[in-house]
Amino acid sequence: MSTQAATATGSAPAAPLKKARNLWNNHPFHYHIAALFIPAQLLILLGLWLYTRREMQALAALPAEQLANGVQQAGQALSLGVLLAMLLSLPLAWWLARRIASRLDILKEQAAVIRVLDFKTDIALDTPIREIFGLGRAMRQMKGTIQKFMRVSLALSGERDFGKLLGKVLHEMREALDGDGGVIYLHDEGLNQLQQASQRWTKEGGPQPNAWQDMPLDDANHPVAAAFKNQSATSLLTIAFPRPGGMEFLDERYGKRPVQLVAVPLRSSDSTLVGIVCNFLAPGKPEPSNDRMALAEAFSSSAAVAIDQQRLLEAQKALMDSMIKIMAGAIDAKSPYTGGHCERVPELGMMLAEEACQVKEGVLADFAFKTDDEWREFRIGAWLHDCGKVTTPEYVVDKATKLETIYNRIHDVRVRFDVLLRDAKITQLEAVAAGTEPQQAQAAFEARKAQLADDFAFVAECNMGGEFMAPEKLERLKTIAAETWQRHFDDRIGLSHDELKRYSGEPAALPATERLLDDKPHHIIARTDLRVLDPKWGFKVNVPEHLYNYGELYNLSVGRGTLTEEERFKINEHVIHSLVMLEQLPLPKNLKRVPEYAGTHHETLTGSGYPRKLSAAQLSVPMRIMAIADIFEALTACDRPYKKAKTLSESIKILSFFKKDGHIDPVLFDLLLTSGVYQRYAEKYLLPEQIDEVDIAKFVSSAEPTSPGP
């Protein structure tokens, strides 16, 4: 016999059983009870009737006395039969109760599972009782609805990309309402209008973004504006042709056909309306059921909260970014010597980082900023790279001459030379009065005047910064400094309390003899802030003993530039203060690397950098990018009053020396040139006369790369 025949034969008796089972399952519970109890009762009663009839026939032939006894016996037999019927019904009732209770126990256990939000177990529906079967099916549907609602809520609350969030909202709304597509309008309180923020359709052919129009709320007759202002629950509207203002984009998809619109308000947790979702139904589609409408409203609450939170986060980010830019701008405005440095370094850093992310081979192959948070983290670090300069005095940053503090003290020195010249004139007049020949006295005066003029010119020359101070110049400076002059007035009156504390001992008797150039005890400013010495910061720097030393001879003896050791440390200390400030901030996880991006642009690959002397292995790609951006911007800056703007080729040449000395990353230096970043940056920020031809082949080389840190 074939398999097909066997199957057909075997299924013949199963058909009636299946039909009976379906009939059984499709009737209410009381039908089942009746189907079991009534036949049993009828059988018992039929037996009693037959028994009673037979007995009655027999009794009819008996005498009256025997008849009375027979009736009594028949009554007893009938009572016994009824009792027997009841006793026989008890096991059946118990069996049915157990059967019902077992199914209810299962549903109770599954309800407890749902209560703890465990959706892994399926709801059992195998029961012949229709009421319990219906209850199980309702619980299964409830579980599915709760599960979907939780999934949607988690997806919306976990989405950090605002555009993707709006897309998910539209997708879930469309699924809930079985719609054709939809548009989200967000409320702009400032403009008092609904702004189209996103759209999603079931297939291609949806309206193009450039066809969208924002919707003013002052039109009370506009259906969507009215639905938004009504602040009620979901509205079912018909959008006929011609379309209301701002909805002409529907013609691209539906032509002139009327379109049903389900408008679902988006209300945040504080009952503020943040927008409205417009779901369009395809022509011919039936209206959504009440269940679907209720589900859409439930989704809208979660969506509104998620959208409101995202907008709040975006506003907080925008506020934070603006405050960072304001602080960076204030640092730049604090000194004309820095110009727009804090603004240009992030631009150059971002340009070079974008190119580095495109490299697919070599040491940069594994580098990439994969998320918007990583890009933002780097950008903020770049903007804050000089935030510590808020602690740097302007007169130190702007120190153009060696004797400059808040003002240029060369003027004090000039007055002393004038005093000496006056003394020489007095000496001349006294000599003539004493009988010296006027010509001889005049000659001596002229010689002294020439000497003083030459000495002052030399001191003034020393006051200007240079690349080198020859030993013979230092000796002459000391000789001039040893000259004396007479001070006739108290040098401790008119001073502030803090300044007076730097004077010790009793005032000198007047007139007091003083050196022409001197290093006095009150020129020393003590260092009181010792935070940089705390080992917890890991700074590896040589900290000068004093905060400042204003000694005149000490400052004029500076060999290179205009800054003393203390002042140079004060300028470099801005990086230390940047790190101290930023590392104390409770930065969120996605901004944890801001301090290292901001505070390592003075580190070098040779380990000789500042302030932690990090090795090449400790310097990540973003940190290396910041070092190049900081140096290249400083070289090409055209707004520094203390130097002439360098040409592009000169700046590249100097930067190549940093590469040759191993201070900057050679691969990133080459990328700066080969990618054209240097040219694009120059076209945006340099003066036309600075931009000249650069032969990058002279500077790009196969230098041995160093593996960046993590």
Side-chain angles (χ1 to χ4, degrees), residues 243-556:
R243 314 294 183 190
M247 305 191 76
E248 294 83 356
F249 62 87
L250 295 175
D251 298 343
E252 298 181 25
R253 189 171 183 85
Y254 303 112
K256 297 182 179 181
R257 292 176 294 176
V259 181
Q260 280 194 312
L261 164 64
V262 181
V264 185
L266 296 173
R267 191 186 305 276
S268 64
S269 56
D270 60 355
S271 298
T272 301
L273 282 171
V274 300
I276 192 167
V277 182
C278 294
N279 295 274
F280 301 98
L281 306 180
K285 271 284 185 74
E287 295 181 3
S289 64
N290 292 334
D291 292 344
R292 286 183 175 273
M293 299 280 269
L295 184 60
E297 290 178 13
F299 285 161
S300 71
S301 299
S302 297
V305 171
I307 290 173
D308 196 39
Q309 289 177 344
Q310 279 286 348
R311 295 176 82 181
L312 179 60
L313 287 175
E314 292 299 322
Q316 290 176 339
K317 286 182 180 179
L319 176 61
M320 181 178 178
D321 291 349
S322 297
M323 293 180 65
I324 290 171
K325 291 180 180 180
I326 287 174
M327 183 169 68
I331 293 171
D332 281 344
K334 182 180 177 182
S335 168
Y337 284 71
T338 56
H341 177 76
C342 291
E343 176 185 353
R344 293 190 290 263
V345 167
E347 288 295 318
L348 180 56
M350 292 292 287
M351 292 168 68
L352 188 54
E354 288 170 359
E355 294 296 332
C357 288
Q358 303 301 319
V359 177
K360 303 303 180 186
E361 58 184 14
V363 295
L364 296 177
D366 296 330
F367 169 72
F369 288 140
K370 299 181 177 64
T371 65
D372 290 341
D373 280 346
E374 290 178 339
W375 280 107
R376 183 167 181 265
E377 183 179 41
F378 176 71
R379 183 171 61 253
I380 290 176
W383 272 100
L384 292 174
H385 81 282
D386 271 350
C387 67
K389 283 185 177 178
V390 298
T391 66
T392 308
E394 297 166 50
Y395 63 84
V396 176
V397 177
D398 298 350
K399 189 178 182 185
T401 62
K402 296 179 182 179
L403 288 176
E404 187 172 344
T405 52
I406 294 179
Y407 75 104
N408 192 348
R409 292 178 293 158
I410 193 67
H411 303 297
D412 296 344
V413 176
R414 182 188 298 108
V415 170
R416 296 173 200 165
F417 273 91
D418 282 334
V419 170
L420 290 179
L421 182 60
R422 180 208 61 185
D423 290 347
K425 187 65 175 178
I426 293 173
T427 300
Q428 175 195 0
L429 295 176
E430 289 177 341
V432 171
T436 304
E437 289 293 329
Q439 295 82 359
Q440 181 182 353
Q442 181 67 31
F445 172 74
E446 292 296 336
R448 178 62 171 166
K449 179 179 179 181
Q451 178 200 350
L452 290 173
D454 185 60
D455 286 348
F456 178 73
F458 176 75
V459 172
E461 178 187 353
C462 291
N463 190 40
M464 306 302 295
E467 293 296 322
F468 177 69
M469 191 81 166
E472 56 271 20
K473 287 189 175 183
L474 289 175
E475 289 301 319
R476 183 182 176 185
L477 193 61
K478 292 177 182 178
T479 301
I480 295 173
E483 288 261 12
T484 60
W485 66 288
Q486 295 292 313
R487 176 174 56 83
H488 292 268
F489 298 97
D490 191 344
D491 63 349
R492 302 193 185 189
I493 60 176
L495 303 184
S496 69
H497 178 70
D498 285 342
E499 192 174 359
L500 276 174
K501 289 193 297 185
R502 300 202 302 267
Y503 286 74
S504 59
E506 294 296 324
L510 298 177
T513 300
E514 296 193 351
R515 289 164 55 93
L516 188 59
L517 302 171
D518 205 358
D519 296 333
K520 297 181 179 180
H522 64 263
H523 285 150
I524 302 296
I525 309 297
R527 181 178 298 280
T528 57
D529 184 0
L530 302 178
R531 285 180 299 174
V532 297
L533 301 178
D534 193 329
K536 74 176 183 178
W537 300 114
F539 299 136
K540 300 175 182 178
V541 293
N542 296 319
V543 182
E545 178 185 0
H546 308 303
L547 182 62
Y548 296 111
N549 185 339
Y550 295 143
E552 296 163 342
L553 184 60
Y554 179 77
N555 277 263
L556 288 169

Side-chain angles (χ1 to χ4, degrees), residues 560-704:
R560 183 178 180 181
T562 63
L563 299 176
T564 64
E565 178 188 5
E566 293 80 7
E567 291 165 339
R568 192 169 298 280
F569 179 82
K570 171 56 69 175
I571 287 182
N572 290 338
E573 194 180 22
H574 80 272
V575 186
I576 292 177
H577 284 293
S578 294
L579 286 168
V580 170
M581 288 190 295
L582 294 176
E583 290 183 359
Q584 291 184 99
L585 291 176
L587 294 170
K589 183 179 179 181
N590 59 335
L591 295 178
K592 285 296 185 184
R593 305 194 75 173
V594 164
E596 70 179 58
Y597 294 160
T600 53
H601 54 283
H602 288 296
E603 300 287 355
T604 68
L605 300 186
T606 60
S608 59
Y610 190 88
R612 286 171 172 158
K613 299 186 184 301
L614 300 179
S615 65
Q618 294 173 292
L619 296 174
S620 64
V621 172
M623 295 157 72
R624 299 180 182 205
I625 289 174
M626 284 300 302
I628 292 178
D630 187 67
I631 298 172
F632 188 66
E633 191 286 328
L635 291 173
T636 58
C638 58
D639 53 3
R640 309 292 170 87
Y642 61 87
K643 73 179 184 71
K644 179 183 177 183
K646 289 182 172 58
T647 64
L648 190 56
S649 59
E650 289 173 335
S651 302
I652 295 294
K653 182 178 180 180
I654 296 173
L655 191 62
S656 70
F657 295 150
F658 284 87
K659 168 190 172 181
K660 182 179 179 181
D661 295 339
H663 288 174
I664 62 174
D665 189 285
V667 176
L668 287 171
F669 171 82
D670 291 351
L671 183 63
L672 176 74
L673 302 183
T674 57
S675 65
V677 166
Y678 80 98
Q679 186 71 35
R680 298 199 301 274
Y681 175 81
E683 292 171 355
K684 187 173 182 180
Y685 291 107
L686 271 60
L687 298 174
E689 55 267 28
Q690 287 183 266
I691 303 176
D692 57 356
E693 292 293 328
V694 180
D695 183 7
I696 64 173
K698 294 168 52 178
F699 307 109
V700 176
S701 66
S702 56
E704 186 67 25

